[in-house]
């Protein structure tokens, strides 16, 4: 039984979200029919056996609760961590490409060479990491319906393109949405900045239009990164509602604005990047002796 799925520092906060999950994961079982579903999966995947450290050891003579990359609890298999397994090729979307496991909450396929469209996901999934692959397609227009229980969703560093469907805002429980380093274009859906997200990472895409002025009074964002897009216009004043912001990176877009003094209310801000925009006027704010007491990095450089 492995809990190392959550070992990386970045995932520690998630582990506390899933605290009961992490504790359950200590004692679990992998049932007979699940073992054969997992073996079927192994047979359909193309992976480099010389580089694989998990799949390559999946052995039908060993109880699947002991397989690397498989997490179980008393309900059976609840997590699949096939990250960094040098899996290539396309997942077969004609059937569900992932095994039909009724309690599969965690799907981690990070750092492989998977290509083609987004694999079909089951609605119970809480954690989906497909980052650092070679997926290239539009996101299905009804993506929000795929993710009714999803807290973490990362498609970072792939070749996804097209616009970000508005339906993603139906994924109400989302706390982390990372679409960075793809080729998304079009506008940022207005509903996206009024969701209850903690992390919204859209950096390195080709998004156009303005940053929507729809940050709500309940704004829970700790990180907002839109660096490296084709956004223009002014910074939205409703951003002042996001008093929990720690990292605000709006560098390398085409914002044209005076220095955003209203950000002075963001007392948690550690990192503020405004580089390579068209900010003008004096830096700093009248009637304020110190802006952002926590600020550690302020990047105002221009190209
Ligand atoms: C694995 O072991 C558990 C009990 O520890 C058992 O319930 C389960 O059926 C076993 N799985 C297989 C595939 O034999
Ligand atoms: C990923 O796998 C490669 C071997 O294919 C290994 O060298 C590297 O350390 C692994 N990275 C992680 C983060 O596990
Ligand atoms: C998935 O499993 C459930 C119950 O275990 C079953 O009702 C359903 O038909 C299965 N779906 C597919 C596509 O096999
Ligand atoms: C990525 O996918 C494309 C096909 O969409 C393929 O031509 C290319 O070789 C893949 N790159 C890698 C690194 O696997
Ligand atoms: C962006 O993603 C590509 C793969 O699509 C990767 O090769 C590149 O290193 C990534 N760049 C950054 C800065 O993350
Ligand atoms: C904060 O959000 C509310 C809507 O919930 C909005 O009316 C208000 O203008 C926002 N605050 C700022 C400073 O924009
Ligand atoms: C900034 O915070 C003060 C109280 O801390 C509040 O009165 C004011 O309306 C806030 N300004 C904005 C732009 O949210
Ligand atoms: C700013 O500092 C000056 C002197 O250091 C002090 O008199 C003034 O009250 C301060 N203003 C605010 C708004 O804190």
């Amino acid at each position: 039984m492995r809990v190392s799925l959550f070992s990386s520092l970045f995932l520690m906060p998630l582990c506390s979200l899933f605290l009961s999950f992490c504790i359950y994961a200590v004692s679990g079982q992998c049932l007979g029919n699940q073992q054969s579903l997992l073996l079927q999966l192994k047979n359909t995947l193309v992976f480099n056996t010389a580089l694989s450290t998990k799949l390559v050891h999946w052995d039908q003579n060993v109880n699947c609760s002991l397989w690397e990359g498989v997490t179980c609890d008393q309900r059976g298999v609840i997590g699949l961590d096939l990250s960094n397994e040098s899996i290539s090729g396309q997942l077969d979307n004609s059937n569900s490409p992932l095994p039909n496991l009724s309690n599969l909450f965690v799907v981690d396929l990070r750092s492989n060479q998977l290509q083609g469209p987004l694999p079909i996901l089951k609605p119970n999934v809480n954690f989906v990491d497909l980052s650092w692959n070679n997926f290239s397609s539009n996101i299905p227009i009804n993506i929000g319906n795929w993710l009714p229980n999803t807290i973490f969703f990362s498609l970072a560093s792939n070749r996804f393109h097209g616009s970000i469907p508005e339906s993603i805002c139906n994924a109400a429980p989302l706390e982390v949405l990372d679409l960075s380093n793809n080729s998304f274009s079009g506008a940022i859906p207005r509903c996206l900045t009024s969701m209850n997200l903690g992390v919204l990472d859209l950096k390195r895409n080709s998004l156009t239009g303005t940053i929507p002025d729809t940050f709500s009074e309940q704004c829970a964002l700790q990180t907002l990164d839109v660096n490296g897009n084709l956004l223009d216009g002014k910074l939205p004043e409703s951003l002042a509602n996001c008093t929990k912001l720690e990292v605000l990176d709006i560098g390398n877009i085409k914002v044209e604005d005076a220095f955003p003094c209203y950000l002075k209310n963001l007392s948690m801000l550690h990192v503020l990047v405004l580089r390579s925009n068209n900010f003008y006027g004096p830096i700093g704010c009248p009637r304020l002796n110190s802006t952002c007491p926590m600020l550690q990095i302020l990047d105002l450089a221009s190209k």
Side-chain angles (χ1 to χ4, degrees), residues 3-299:
V3 204
S4 68
L5 181 56
F6 295 103
S7 62
S8 86
L9 201 58
F10 179 59
L11 294 184
M12 287 312 287
L14 267 169
C15 195
S16 54
L17 282 176
F18 285 113
L19 196 57
S20 54
F21 172 89
C22 294
I23 291 166
Y24 280 144
V26 173
S27 70
Q29 54 176 343
C30 181
L31 309 168
N33 64 326
Q34 301 189 319
Q35 178 141 343
S36 42
L37 286 171
L38 292 172
L39 283 173
Q40 276 172 34
L41 173 70
K42 176 180 174 178
N43 288 335
T44 63
L45 293 176
V46 178
F47 62 99
N48 184 330
T49 52
L51 296 175
S52 166
T53 59
K54 301 170 207 172
L55 278 173
V56 73
H57 298 301
W58 288 10
D59 176 349
Q60 61 179 333
N61 298 318
V62 176
N63 189 302
C64 43
S65 66
L66 301 173
W67 292 358
E68 286 283 306
V70 177
T71 306
C72 308
D73 73 1
Q74 59 275 67
R75 292 165 293 186
V77 176
I78 54 171
L80 270 187
D81 172 5
L82 296 177
S83 59
N84 201 29
E85 278 288 280
S86 68
I87 305 167
S88 58
Q90 192 164 329
L91 294 170
D92 181 4
N93 253 355
S94 55
N95 289 304
S96 176
L98 296 166
N100 187 13
L101 303 166
S102 42
N103 294 309
L104 189 60
F105 301 121
V106 174
V107 173
D108 187 350
L109 294 172
R110 181 187 165 87
S111 295
N112 286 289
Q113 291 97 46
L114 287 163
Q115 56 189 36
L118 187 73
I120 293 171
L121 301 162
K122 294 194 73 176
N124 54 0
V125 69
N126 297 139
F127 176 104
V128 181
D129 192 345
L130 302 177
S131 63
W132 293 93
N133 275 283
N134 188 18
F135 289 112
S136 58
S137 64
N138 291 354
I139 302 191
I141 194 93
N142 61 347
I143 182 71
N145 306 342
W146 297 20
L147 310 171
N149 296 299
T150 307
I151 294 171
F152 180 104
F153 188 56
S154 177
L155 302 182
S157 292
N158 279 283
R159 298 186 299 125
F160 286 104
H161 48 79
S163 55
I164 302 172
E166 271 186 34
S167 77
I168 200 150
C169 305
N170 298 339
L174 262 191
E175 293 182 12
V176 177
L177 177 61
D178 188 350
L179 303 179
S180 63
N181 192 27
N182 280 282
S183 301
F184 289 111
S185 54
I188 300 176
R190 289 180 59 75
C191 58
L192 199 56
T193 47
S194 54
M195 286 181 77
N196 201 26
L197 294 167
V199 174
L200 176 58
D201 194 342
L202 302 175
K203 72 171 166 284
R204 290 174 189 270
N205 279 289
S206 303
L207 299 165
T208 51
T210 57
I211 304 172
D213 197 4
T214 49
F215 295 94
S216 75
E217 258 147 26
Q218 288 76 41
C219 180
L221 279 176
Q222 295 176 322
T223 296
L224 174 63
D225 194 338
V226 295
N227 191 315
N229 278 284
L230 305 169
L231 301 162
D232 53 21
K234 290 191 181 302
L235 277 188
E237 289 193 5
S238 58
L239 201 49
N241 274 328
C242 301
T243 51
K244 300 193 177 85
L245 265 182
E246 294 174 14
V247 176
L248 175 60
D249 189 340
I250 47 177
N252 300 301
I253 56 180
K254 296 185 299 181
V255 167
E256 205 158 324
D257 208 344
F259 188 81
C261 282
Y262 58 86
L263 298 182
K264 66 179 185 278
N265 271 20
L266 310 184
S267 57
M268 309 293 284
L269 211 54
H270 294 296
V271 179
L272 173 60
V273 178
L274 304 175
R275 77 158 40 224
S276 291
N277 278 295
N278 299 320
F279 285 103
Y280 50 80
I283 293 174
C285 304
R287 299 187 310 279
L288 247 197
N289 286 349
S290 69
T291 319
C292 304
M294 305 290 284
L295 200 60
Q296 287 161 355
I297 299 175
L298 173 62
D299 183 348

